[in-house]
Amino acid sequence: MALPQPTEGTRWRCTLCGNLTRFDVTRSSRVVEYVHLDLAGEARVEERDVLSERIESVRCRWCDAVDQVELVDRPGAGS
């Protein structure tokens, strides 16, 4: 189940327990990173460009329901 990211006007809500705040999100992404290695070999990502990203599943942290999350309007988003 691919679920869209919440926007400024929407948020996630578990349809089973009503949770609005705690979720485990599994996502796939393709990224290009500019990695800088110092002389000791320690790596640091200095730039990150996300080429594509897809949410594979969302699990509710409260009731452990998998893929029972929907997008709902945020309060006051229409104002």
Side-chain angles (χ1 to χ4, degrees):
M1 168 186 166
L3 186 68
Q5 287 269 19
T7 63
E8 287 186 25
T10 61
R11 62 182 176 177
W12 285 336
R13 178 184 170 279
C14 178
T15 59
L16 295 181
C17 72
N19 171 30
L20 294 166
T21 59
R22 303 285 191 267
F23 302 97
D24 288 320
V25 180
T26 302
R27 71 180 78 222
S28 295
S29 59
R30 286 188 62 229
V31 299
V32 175
E33 295 178 332
Y34 170 60
V35 178
H36 180 199
L37 297 168
D38 65 18
L39 294 177
E42 294 294 320
R44 184 176 70 231
V45 175
E46 292 189 354
E47 294 176 16
R48 185 172 194 258
D49 185 21
V50 178
L51 303 176
S52 65
E53 190 167 56
R54 180 178 179 272
I55 295 174
E56 294 179 4
S57 67
V58 180
R59 182 175 64 85
C60 177
R61 269 289 177 115
W62 286 4
C63 70
D64 210 32
V66 177
D67 295 331
Q68 295 296 317
V69 177
E70 64 182 354
L71 275 179
V72 295
D73 292 334
R74 290 182 194 246
S79 307

